[in-house]
Amino acid sequence: MKGIRTSAAALLALVVLAPALLVSFGGGRALAQASPTAPANRILEIRVEGIQRIAPETVRSYMQIRAGDPFDALRIDQSLKRLFQTGLFSDVSIRQEGAILVVKVVENPIINRVAFEGNDFMEEADLRKEVQLRSRRVYTQTRVRNDVKRIIDLYSRQGRFAVTVVPKVIQRPQNRVDLIFEIDEGEPTLIRKITFIGNKAYSDRRLRSVIQSSETSFYAFLSADDVYDPDRVRFDEEQLRRYYNSKGYADFRLLSTTAELSPNREDFFLTFTLEEGARYKTGKVDIKSQLKGLKAEDVAHRLTLSEGDWYNAKEVERSVDRLTDEVSGRGFAFIDIRPQLNRDKDKRTVSVTFIITEGPRMFVERINIRGNVRTLDRVIRREMRLVEGDAFNRARFRRSDRRVKGLGYFKTSKFTRSRGSAPDKTVIDVEVEEQSTGSFSIGAGFSSTNGLLTSAQLVERNLLGKGQQLKIGASLGSRSQNIDLGFTEPYFLERNMSAGFDVFRTRTDNTDSISFDRLLLGFGLRVGFAYNDRLRQGLNYKLQRKEVEITDVTDPDLSVFIKRQEGTAVTSSIGQSLIYDMRDSRVDTREGYVIRLANDLAGFGGDNRYLRTELSGAIYYEVLSDWVLRLSSDLGYIFGIGKDVRIDDRFFIGGDGLRHALRGFATGGIGPRDQDTDDALGGNFFATGSAELGVPFGTASSFQTKGYLFVDAGTLLGIDDDNVPGSTVLDDASIRLAAGFGVGVKTPFGVIRLNYAFPILKADFDRTESFSFRFGTSF
């Protein structure tokens, strides 16, 4: 009986103490269960222990249970989890002491400072922008791990895949820590080889020129394009698609892109596998208008596609933009223009139907611009084709994106849309990342025409963040010297009009054919207009002081026609230039044409009065893959108005260093000449023409090498003051003709061009020059 009573007493004690025993508290353990049959056992107080910086009320505010509530194991467990989720504590425990709930915490330390060590390649400012931890923030292991991953990803985007990051913590008083990221950057992972599989129409060499990534070489320090960058590779993929689609390959597919890392983790082998598909021509081009009051024939003239041409996806986009402008200008605010493509694989044509419908009634509520620390908002906004309050238009939205990217002020720019305050309103978000817009270059070169040449130039394309351009340059050569200062405001008076000024000083020393020195000092004012993407016009005013210098006026071997021109004259002139440019690229032209007309009228004060007109044009054909034929022609005429044209205002033709080149002949080698002294006198009228075929050769992609076959023709004639007793001017208007070949090598160190030409048709008194070459670079 005694044993039974003892067991019963023990059982009773166990029942009474069970709730307290079940609320056992180690690191991070909470009350697991409360007796549902216990009497109303309420919490009288919640006591917080272990806090140093955080107020007790702050801790209690995160909990799911309050003083006065009954003990509830579920709510206590939820409170424990909530306290951990705050990230403020490294450990939390909860226990019950009678009617008191005790919360014991261990606070996470506060970061005193964040430092980086070992980062030679990456700037500390870039690293600080990448990591999330900052001074005075709470330190947690999870946040440190995330920041380590961000740093490694940042280096990976720069081609540093061997980087290691070790976080070190230094304890400081008052529960503070210094966080130091020790970085071993490793060596950059370079692209050893770029290969294309499946390309038949275009060579590997040609496709390498389309993408931005490049193979590594001994001059890798001049560019970062040979460093493997996944983001750049994705951009390369898009460039390949756009290139093939612009050449008629509407079925082009990029099957895969693989980047294989070498076993030593130092090089990547990049392979693009593609399927070109058939090449299509443009079939029927039609417009279907579903807008009342708009006929298709009213806007058909805005199309840039023509039936029978090779299909070009770029021209489809351009036609959409032009149609959008035209239809919007006719008062239709809400429009949607979608091109409908119909491929005929048997005939290999793509018919395009532009369907014009009424778009959703959507207005631009707000445009948010972020990321521009230096560049002013208005510099970006003036490139936008949409403003607040406009009817939203997809074509103008895309064009705004392209125009902001085209500024060249930003490393990246991203256009996105979000819903506005109402269903019919949208918000445009523009996120940009700025990049350096200033450059300083020092150059050196040599040519058989101008001799040794050195130059230095300082250019800032986004002056003070206002989008203005400032250029200061100087060049010094054995035969010419030039100093100039220029400033351009691209949006003068906030209008679509550029304005600027130039101050310049140019000196040209005599050559074997031109027996006098020329000194030019002056300044100019200019304005420019862009009527559209292809047509530009500029107006200018120049005030120049020109001087013809002769070393020895008594020299009997010097032409009397030149001696009469010695001295200084002031020219005050206005001019205009009109350029229509349909080239596919201004740098590496393969197709298209360009026409330029320029006029200068002198006589608004000063000593000289004349009208000068120049007309030039060039057309390019890609006769075979990478084989480009260029046909060009230049015409020029100047005539005096009540005065003779001075010798330093006339045209000089010849050589390859002058603007009006004629290979096979020396500088000033053709045209009117003094019979007695053989001095070149220049001419009032010239005409030149050239046909040149460029052919790439060689397999190395490091140096872009081309061979050239060319034929040049031209004539120069006419001077005003040719009536000098006892002197005779040789003036032969016959056509001169020369043919030749050349080699051009484009390297990171500059462009080398060598020409060998031999005259076929020439006058007896012409000066010839068979060999010429140029070399130049900047760094």
Side-chain angles (χ1 to χ4, degrees), residues 589-600:
T589 308
R590 300 177 186 273
E591 295 177 337
Y593 62 89
V594 58
I595 302 173
R596 179 179 184 272
L597 173 66
N599 306 96
D600 290 293

Side-chain angles (χ1 to χ4, degrees), residues 189-196 204-205 207-229 232-233 235-236 266-272 700-704 748:
T189 311
L190 306 176
I191 301 174
R192 180 62 55 187
K193 183 70 175 176
I194 299 178
T195 306
F196 298 89
D204 282 15
R205 175 197 183 92
L207 296 182
R208 289 192 194 102
S209 69
V210 172
I211 64 177
Q212 186 176 353
S213 298
S214 64
E215 297 177 350
T216 188
S217 59
F218 68 91
Y219 51 81
F221 65 92
L222 294 172
S223 172
D225 291 342
D226 65 336
V227 176
Y228 175 72
D229 182 351
R232 187 187 299 127
V233 172
F235 176 74
D236 293 338
E266 293 182 356
D267 301 297
F268 268 102
F269 295 86
L270 193 59
T271 303
F272 296 92
S701 61
S702 300
F703 294 90
Q704 299 181 22

Side-chain angles (χ1 to χ4, degrees), residues 445-447 449-455 474-483 505-511 516-520 657-658 667:
F446 188 87
S447 76
T449 302
N450 293 321
L452 180 65
L453 179 68
T454 59
S455 64
S475 62
L476 177 64
S478 58
R479 294 177 181 173
S480 64
Q481 303 86 41
N482 181 60
I483 300 174
R505 181 187 185 277
T506 302
R507 181 182 180 87
T508 306
D509 296 336
N510 61 23
T511 64
F516 59 92
D517 298 339
R518 287 175 287 185
L519 178 62
L520 175 63
L658 290 175
T667 303

Side-chain angles (χ1 to χ4, degrees), residues 52-63:
Q52 299 180 36
R53 302 180 312 272
I54 303 173
E57 287 304 321
T58 302
V59 177
R60 297 187 187 104
S61 68
Y62 289 114
M63 300 179 65

Side-chain angles (χ1 to χ4, degrees), residues 330-372:
R330 291 174 177 264
F332 297 91
F334 304 98
I335 58 172
D336 186 23
I337 302 178
R338 297 182 182 272
Q340 188 178 78
L341 308 181
N342 183 21
R343 293 184 180 85
D344 188 329
K345 294 190 175 182
D346 295 330
K347 297 180 180 180
R348 291 188 177 180
T349 60
V350 178
S351 298
V352 186
T353 302
F354 296 90
I355 301 176
I356 305 176
T357 61
E358 185 174 359
R361 299 182 66 85
M362 186 74 67
F363 296 90
V364 178
E365 179 179 13
R366 191 172 64 256
I367 298 176
N368 299 324
I369 301 176
R370 302 184 182 93
N372 54 318

